[in-house]
Amino acid sequence: MAEQIPPHALSRASAYEWMGSLALLPLGYIAAGPLAKATTAETVLVAGAILTAIVLALGLIPRDTRTLTRATHRSKV
């Protein structure tokens, strides 16, 4: 993140990332109990792992993400 986002916007981008993650956390807690009661705890954990892998893999769909290169910075010395 620090290589691709300008320094003046890095804090804001990081805050939005955390806010999104923490906002969805209660939904997971709400869903986990009834799902585990209807099936088993192991089923919920495996399904959660598979769902997480799928969502992370969706981030690779945009070509810009797959072809992302390391940023080069010039030294100010």
Side-chain angles (χ1 to χ4, degrees), residues 40-77:
T40 64
E42 292 81 13
T43 303
V44 173
L45 290 173
V46 170
I50 292 169
L51 180 62
T52 300
I54 290 170
V55 170
L56 289 173
L58 289 175
L60 296 174
I61 290 175
R63 183 176 180 84
D64 290 343
T65 302
R66 293 190 315 269
T67 60
L68 191 63
T69 59
R70 187 174 186 126
T72 56
H73 298 285
R74 294 185 183 186
S75 177
K76 293 184 179 182
V77 176

